[in-house]
Amino acid sequence: MANMYDHAYDLEKAIRESEEFKGLKAAYDTVMNDPSSKEMFENFRNIQLELQQKQMQGQEISEEEVQKAQSVVQVVQQDEQIAKLMEQEQRLNIAINDISRIITKPLEELYGQPEE
């Protein structure tokens, strides 16, 4: 019987070969090949990462930073290519969350946690 790490690598391969991942990669490549979209997306990601880092360090995020992030999101969502990328990312995240629920089921059953 294969060990769980072998199955994990099989799962990684299945994710890479999935339509969800292929759609995300194609959308990402499209954004990265358009200078304007790429710059907007990288700016958005940098702001997102900065705010996540502050949260993880327990630092408060100012109202000004929240407003800046919201305005960047509005601008980014107007870019058709970035909107498509975000849509594809969400599709893959749904699949990964479903997979996560499946693989953690033994722990949920062991500890008696009802599935949400």
Side-chain angles (χ1 to χ4, degrees):
M1 180 175 167
N3 71 41
M4 66 181 160
Y5 293 100
D6 292 336
H7 291 296
Y9 286 113
D10 290 343
L11 181 56
E12 176 203 10
K13 183 178 179 191
I15 290 171
R16 287 181 190 276
E17 293 173 354
S18 72
E19 290 304 313
E20 291 86 353
F21 183 79
K22 288 177 182 176
L24 175 60
K25 181 155 180 13
Y28 180 81
D29 290 345
T30 299
V31 168
M32 290 298 115
N33 288 319
D34 179 289
S36 175
S37 294
K38 180 181 178 181
E39 183 179 341
M40 253 190 281
F41 181 71
E42 288 177 346
N43 184 37
F44 166 71
R45 289 288 299 146
N46 288 336
I47 290 170
Q48 198 176 39
L49 291 172
E50 286 172 20
L51 295 179
Q52 284 176 350
Q53 210 169 24
K54 282 186 104 171
Q55 274 185 320
M56 289 172 51
Q57 294 171 351
Q59 297 176 4
E60 197 166 316
I61 297 171
S62 71
E63 184 64 33
E64 182 182 318
E65 289 171 314
V66 170
Q67 288 176 353
K68 180 182 176 187
Q70 288 173 342
S71 68
V72 169
V73 167
Q74 288 175 344
V75 170
V76 162
Q77 287 177 332
Q78 291 175 8
D79 183 291
E80 191 176 315
Q81 294 174 88
I82 296 174
K84 175 89 172 163
L85 172 61
M86 293 171 128
E87 179 185 312
Q88 294 297 321
E89 184 176 348
Q90 187 168 1
R91 285 185 66 215
L92 181 60
N93 281 335
I94 289 169
I96 289 174
N97 286 335
D98 290 346
I99 292 166
S100 179
R101 274 195 294 279
I102 293 167
I103 64 176
T104 58
K105 193 170 185 169
L107 292 174
E108 289 172 11
E109 290 172 356
L110 177 66
Y111 292 112
Q113 296 292 327
E115 197 172 301
E116 294 181 48

